[in-house]
Amino acid sequence: MLDIKVIRQNPEKIAAGLARRGLTAGLDNFLELDSRRRELLVEAEALKNRRNQVSAEVAQRKKKGQDATELIAAMREVADRIKELDEAIRTTEEELQQLLLTIPNIPHESVPDGLDDTANVEVRRWGELPQFDFEPLPHWEIAEKLNIIDFERGSKVAGARFVFYRGAGARLERALVNFMLDLHTIKHGYTEIFPPFMVNSNSMVGTGQLPKFAADMFHVEGTDYYLIPTAEVPVTNLYSGEILDGEQLPIYHVAYSACFRAEAGAAGRDTRGLIRQHQFNKVELVKFSRPENSYEELEKLTRDAEEVLQLLGLPYRVVVLSTGDLGFSAAKTYDLEVWLPSAATYREISSCSNFEDFQARRAGIRFRPGPKEKPRFVHTLNGSGVAVGRTVAAILENYQQKDGTVLIPKALKPYMGGLEVIRPE
RNA sequence: GGAGAGAUGGCUGAGUUGGUCGAAGGCGCUCGACUGGAAAUCGAGUAGACGGGUCAAAAACUCGUCUCGUGGGUUCAAAUCCCACUCUCUCCGCCA
């Protein structure tokens, strides 16, 4: 959510920022509502002031045993008018709030302009692409031959875009979760959180999934619960409505969670394999930072996520998203894209973003910079560290051998009980 | 699921015959005094949001409105009375 005062003072600047995202709608309606609200407020507050003074007078007279009936009668009318004004203010604010909640964040100045992902800019590459003296198979074929992922039974029991992991496949998934959590907690200093996998609608508004993107999520019918699309939601909302001590910042959290996405509008895309599932596992990094440090923190967070891929020996590149590809709440995002040999392309495996105070304002996450200073909104950041299912896909494809077996990356062996290679059972 | 108790400021904790209560006291914190320095002691200060004024603007200052779980109601006036909801705690039942 943008700062209403900033919009009021620099409407043309905000409009220019939104235009970079390709949004041309003006802010006139917004500004009109805003000034109407203030007019109503001024009138209502003046009346309330008078009412309060007269009420004090009534109290005085009663104490002295004097009559106050004419004062009370006069205030009865004032009270009616106040009620009318309060109602008008309430509806105006409601409208304003709804509008405000649907306006996306303003891109950071360093974000490249563009209409879509074709305008994303590569920042760096890491790793040697694997060379094969055979035709590399897609991960779903490798997995089926090894009998470690069951796509068909996933569909039978749950539906399309669900799988069963089995044997060494299940072990691999679990090993990756533990490997990532250990790396981020022990080496990078994040505090581990194990969050709820369902949250209420208020939390979804806090991080920006609601009200605009309800169709992308699973909602538990008859309740106010939503399945989380990412641990970002519960972990960012951990401190919602709180004023943190400035000395606590920055706060680093890492959380494993299952993630649930309805993938509305993705029909026909990535229908095979692990790339696009309704349920997948992810280790998520979340930071709460002072505003002045948040871009530094974004760079560090991105490097922390990259290290997962480096230790696993998976080639990747980092791209900065263009204004057209940027998510609703983000001011700047780096995507990590891992190499998938079967498709001979890089595919997103992590997304690291700085939301500045956009989420903090929605969720009410503030900090006190110092004693006696006024509370300010924190900056929130998060990034996948990293998506587990896609990591499995990348390992299977990059480490596949001619004989159909798959080598286990060195860093992962301790987590696989010393297993060196996955063979068909 | 059943029965009961409760929800007040950073924390703790008063306040329920409605009327200077945004709120006593304590703790914590900030500033000052005392001290060679510190502790102890003493003094002062210490919630948030929104809006008006001042101002180019911000900060600061000042005036006002709202907020004592949330939403609504009664009243000239509600932390205090009424209704609904949420959450917490205790006991019982059930349960991984």
Side-chain angles (χ1 to χ4, degrees):
Chain A
M1 190 160 66
L2 301 178
D3 187 344
I4 194 164
K5 287 179 190 159
V6 172
I7 300 178
R8 193 185 296 154
Q9 282 162 11
N10 306 301
E12 59 297 316
K13 207 168 162 186
I14 297 296
L18 293 173
R20 294 183 62 203
R21 281 182 180 266
L23 296 173
T24 50
L27 296 164
D28 294 349
N29 186 25
F30 179 89
L31 294 170
E32 202 174 301
L33 278 171
D34 179 51
S35 70
R36 174 141 166 267
R37 167 179 174 269
R38 274 178 297 152
E39 279 170 28
L40 292 167
L41 214 48
V42 168
E43 190 183 346
E45 288 188 355
L47 287 178
K48 284 178 182 174
N49 183 22
R50 200 164 121 224
R51 181 184 65 185
N52 289 344
Q53 287 181 350
V54 173
S55 286
E57 174 68 17
V58 170
Q60 286 296 318
R61 289 203 190 181
K62 292 215 166 178
K63 205 173 266 177
K64 293 184 198 158
Q66 296 173 341
D67 181 63
T69 47
E70 87 283 2
L71 288 179
I72 290 173
M75 280 309 101
R76 202 163 280 154
E77 276 176 46
V78 172
D80 287 344
R81 177 65 183 148
I82 287 174
K83 198 170 252 183
E84 277 173 32
L85 286 168
D86 276 348
E87 178 61 19
I89 290 168
R90 200 190 60 76
T91 56
T92 307
E93 286 186 341
E94 181 75 16
E95 236 178 295
L96 209 50
Q97 186 70 4
Q98 286 310 311
L99 210 55
L100 211 48
L101 286 175
T102 59
I103 300 175
N105 203 355
I106 302 296
H108 188 254
E109 56 186 14
S110 66
V111 172
D113 285 302
L115 292 176
D116 52 36
D117 58 354
T118 59
N120 295 349
V121 175
E122 184 174 307
V123 177
R124 57 183 170 269
R125 282 182 192 222
W126 184 93
E128 296 283 314
L129 299 189
Q131 300 300 315
F132 299 98
D133 54 3
F134 59 96
E135 188 66 29
L137 298 175
H139 64 273
W140 56 89
E141 286 185 24
I142 302 167
E144 279 175 336
K145 285 180 178 167
L146 292 171
N147 195 18
I148 58 172
I149 300 177
D150 195 331
F151 293 92
E152 277 187 30
R153 290 196 177 97
S155 300
K156 177 182 75 175
V157 174
R161 301 193 190 281
F162 287 94
V163 297
F164 284 90
Y165 288 81
R166 176 181 185 286
R171 178 79 191 247
L172 179 59
E173 185 86 4
R174 178 162 58 91
L176 282 168
V177 170
N178 285 328
F179 163 69
M180 293 177 197
L181 286 173
D182 283 352
L183 175 67
H184 296 310
T185 54
I186 296 166
K187 184 164 178 194
H188 299 149
Y190 292 72
T191 301
E192 186 171 351
I193 301 287
F194 197 107
F197 290 2
M198 288 191 268
V199 299
N200 58 34
S201 56
N202 193 43
S203 296
M204 287 295 186
V205 171
T207 32
Q209 281 76 18
L210 289 179
K212 280 193 94 172
F213 307 103
D216 295 336
M217 296 186 294
F218 289 106
H219 179 224
V220 181
E221 199 179 339
T223 73
D224 189 39
Y225 297 136
Y226 289 81
L227 271 63
I228 57 170
T230 159
E232 159 193 350
V233 178
V235 179
T236 302
N237 280 286
L238 194 55
Y239 304 113
S240 64
E242 298 188 22
I243 301 175
L244 302 168
D245 185 347
E247 310 229 328
Q248 293 174 260
L249 299 177
I251 295 171
Y252 290 10
H253 284 315
V254 58
Y256 155 78
S257 87
C259 303
F260 304 89
R261 298 194 182 173
E263 298 297 338
R269 292 177 64 193
D270 304 311
T271 49
R272 305 198 71 181
L274 292 174
I275 299 301
R276 196 176 295 274
Q277 294 280 303
H278 283 316
Q279 174 190 322
F280 60 96
N281 294 307
K282 184 155 58 71
V283 169
E284 184 77 2
L285 307 171
V286 177
K287 287 187 177 184
F288 302 84
S289 150
R290 285 174 175 264
E292 57 271 25
N293 302 332
S294 66
Y295 280 93
E296 234 171 90
E297 293 290 352
L298 175 62
E299 296 301 322
K300 280 168 67 183
L301 184 148
T302 306
R303 299 285 181 177
D304 290 340
E306 282 177 59
E307 191 167 346
V308 172
L309 300 179
Q310 291 173 8
L311 290 172
L312 293 174
L314 295 170
Y316 67 91
R317 64 172 190 165
V318 181
V319 301
V320 58
L321 298 193
S322 79
T323 54
D325 202 22
L326 202 57
F328 177 78
S329 302
K332 182 173 186 175
T333 298
Y334 290 113
D335 270 8
L336 270 51
E337 298 180 339
V338 73
W339 179 251
L340 286 184
S342 73
T345 59
Y346 289 98
R347 285 304 300 259
E348 176 189 342
I349 196 168
S350 170
S351 199
C352 304
S353 304
N354 185 358
F355 302 90
E356 299 190 358
D357 63 7
F358 187 86
Q359 292 180 327
R361 183 170 286 108
R362 285 173 162 247
I365 309 168
R366 294 179 290 175
F367 75 104
R368 202 178 294 281
K372 308 206 58 160
E373 289 191 61
K374 289 186 65 176
R376 295 187 60 191
F377 288 111
V378 301
H379 279 195
T380 60
L381 302 91
N382 68 59
S384 346
V386 299
V388 178
R390 291 188 179 183
T391 305
V392 168
I395 289 173
L396 293 180
E397 294 202 7
N398 283 279
Y399 283 88
Q400 63 180 302
Q401 307 297 303
K402 197 171 188 173
D403 61 2
T405 62
V406 173
L407 300 179
I408 299 296
K410 185 161 169 279
L412 216 51
K413 283 177 192 168
Y415 293 91
M416 292 294 288
L419 189 71
E420 307 252 336
V421 55
I422 303 178
R423 307 176 190 284
E425 287 185 20

